[in-house]
Amino acid sequence: MIIKLKPDITSEDRNRLVHIIQESGADYSDQDAINQSEIYINEAYTGINIGLFYHMPGVESIIEGEPIYNLVSRNYKKSDTIIQLDDLYIGGDNYPVMIAGPCAVENEDQIRETAQLVSSLGVRIMRGGAYKPRTSPYSFTGLEERGLELLGKVKKETGLFIITEVLDTADVEVVAAYSDILQIGSRNMQNYKLLKAVGRIRKPVLLKRGMSARLDEFLGSAEYIMKGGNEQVILCERGIRTFVEYSRNTLDLNVVPVVKNLSHLPIIVDPSHGTGRRDLIMPMSLAALAAGADGLMVEVHPHPDNSWSDPEQALSPEQFSLLMEKFTHFLEWLNKNVSVTTAP
Ligand code: PEP
Ligand code: MN
């Protein structure tokens, strides 16, 4: 339940209200809401008489029922959340970030070659799965800890930041030890135990939208992470299942401006999984930037046709290099503050 307060509520009226809530034993929060104009009462409350509040002085309105999310909402925090990795900032007015790398870490040569390629093109964050969620158990499911070690090795060599997926609560610690951002994949967006586990760490988490998830469910999952105390959440639109047959998924770019309105969290777009087609990655990348995305995550492989997973959507080095060129030019054209980063 949310109690919306009138902007001119007196401190006496406000204190009386808070006193009643405290007396009832309800778990509530009224900090950080914009202008302190709302009091959020947690679902765990018992025995509170909602009727009491309707006619109390200073109360503007009451939203009954349990909102799915609160901490992730713009109502709760007005300013954009900015994720910091040393001198790199994600979100707010910062230059949109490009995250690139293979679907999976396959071997040392492959990951080093990719790291050198993306780094030479100005990319600061490399992706690469060590634990791979695959539809078939007979497919390559990742090098696991060995994959993390290889990511750690090329991170040292190149200075790239690393993002990699964590599939299981048991692996959160080891994945966090080797990476700068932990990825929660689409299939795990509603794995609440895993969300709680990454809520307990203090490293950025990139949360991918479930392939059949509504927006409120997506934000509800982000709420789980934030409720655990981890405020460093990046949302990622990666396409949803629709009736179309010509692409792997339908990239829901509507969600970008809608999320910007509803939430203070940064949102990036993954056109690789969103389309599943190399030829669609360039146009949909630019469309995502035009929609206001805080960055992109793209799959690139030194030899895409030999990729052990998702070969049909892996960009070649030449294609990726062209994408980087267009990325920069398009942002200049959109008039983003191209070389300036803003501290939080
Ligand atoms: C990935 O990014 O490696 C991945 C498996 O994507 P998704 O969870 O979006 O399917
Ligand atoms: Mn992939």
Side-chain angles (χ1 to χ4, degrees):
M1 173 173 64
I2 296 174
I3 305 177
K4 289 191 173 277
L5 306 179
K6 289 185 178 153
D8 58 355
I9 185 171
T10 64
S11 54
E12 279 131 46
D13 289 341
R14 186 185 177 85
N15 290 344
R16 192 173 319 122
L17 199 67
V18 168
H19 182 69
I20 293 174
I21 299 168
Q22 283 170 340
E23 287 280 284
S24 76
D27 177 17
Y28 74 100
S29 90
D30 63 343
Q31 288 159 22
D32 289 342
I34 301 167
N35 303 328
Q36 298 257 305
S37 61
E38 293 181 352
I39 297 181
Y40 170 82
I41 302 184
N42 201 317
E43 67 195 83
Y45 71 86
T46 48
I48 196 160
N49 179 2
I50 296 168
L52 270 182
F53 299 113
Y54 274 95
H55 303 293
M56 282 185 68
V59 172
E60 190 159 275
S61 61
I62 290 181
I63 302 171
E64 286 191 43
E66 202 47 48
I68 296 177
Y69 54 86
N70 176 48
L71 304 174
V72 306
S73 77
R74 270 279 176 218
N75 281 341
Y76 186 79
K77 179 172 175 262
K78 195 168 177 152
S79 63
D80 290 324
T81 286
I82 293 170
I83 308 295
Q84 182 176 5
L85 299 172
D86 296 344
D87 62 332
L88 183 68
Y89 301 99
I90 305 170
D93 290 333
N94 292 292
Y95 190 74
V97 69
M98 173 67 88
I99 302 173
C103 183
V105 182
E106 297 167 7
N107 56 59
E108 188 162 342
D109 286 348
Q110 172 249 15
I111 199 66
R112 179 174 293 115
E113 219 180 307
T114 314
Q116 287 171 351
L117 168 80
V118 299
S119 174
S120 73
L121 293 169
V123 170
R124 303 286 311 277
I125 310 175
M126 182 171 72
R127 58 153 292 141
Y131 298 86
K132 293 301 302 175
R134 302 304 302 280
T135 305
S136 166
Y138 303 108
S139 302
F140 173 58
T141 53
L143 298 181
E144 303 191 341
E145 214 165 322
R146 173 75 190 135
L148 294 177
E149 284 164 12
L150 294 178
L151 287 169
K153 203 165 175 182
V154 295
K155 174 180 163 67
K156 275 210 185 100
E157 291 170 7
T158 58
L160 283 163
F161 297 111
I162 300 293
I163 173 168
T164 194
E165 179 163 353
V166 57
L167 273 184
D168 194 302
T169 51
D171 303 321
V172 168
E173 214 172 300
V174 70
V175 172
Y178 284 100
S179 63
D180 301 286
I181 305 175
L182 287 86
Q183 177 173 321
I184 301 291
S186 184
R187 290 155 193 80
N188 269 321
M189 188 206 84
Q190 286 175 309
N191 179 339
Y192 298 115
K193 258 191 138 171
L194 187 57
L195 298 176
K196 284 183 181 177
V198 295
R200 287 192 288 270
I201 62 167
R202 293 296 174 266
K203 273 205 161 179
V205 173
L206 180 131
L207 175 68
K208 297 189 92 175
R209 180 180 183 181
M211 59 189 80
S212 305
R214 298 188 322 218
L215 176 56
D216 57 350
E217 294 165 336
F218 188 20
L219 294 176
S221 292
E223 183 83 9
Y224 264 85
I225 302 172
M226 289 198 71
K227 190 166 185 290
N230 189 351
E231 294 175 352
Q232 303 180 79
V233 181
I234 306 165
L235 302 168
C236 177
E237 163 60 31
R238 50 77 71 200
I240 49 171
R241 286 250 166 117
T242 67
F243 53 83
V244 305
E245 76 304 338
Y246 65 88
S247 59
R248 181 175 175 178
N249 289 295
T250 296
L251 194 62
D252 178 19
L253 291 182
N254 295 346
V255 88
V256 175
V258 174
V259 160
K260 293 262 160 213
N261 261 330
L262 290 178
S263 175
H264 51 84
L265 295 175
I267 178 162
I268 71 154
V269 170
D270 171 354
S272 300
H273 294 88
T275 65
R277 289 175 46 163
R278 271 177 221 166
D279 61 328
L280 295 183
I281 291 169
M282 172 83 80
M284 296 318 287
S285 293
L286 302 186
L289 296 175
D294 295 299
L296 300 174
M297 182 156 79
V298 170
E299 289 188 345
V300 53
H301 193 285
H303 312 283
D305 292 332
N306 300 334
S307 177
W308 294 5
S309 54
D310 290 348
E312 52 302 304
Q313 67 193 39
L315 294 182
S316 67
E318 296 70 32
Q319 288 167 325
F320 182 67
S321 165
L322 186 62
L323 176 63
M324 282 306 285
E325 220 177 278
K326 300 262 183 186
F327 176 82
T328 313
H329 288 153
F330 192 66
L331 286 171
E332 276 168 16
W333 184 73
L334 280 175
N335 209 7
K336 289 267 172 179
N337 53 338
V338 176
S339 58
V340 184
T341 52
T342 319

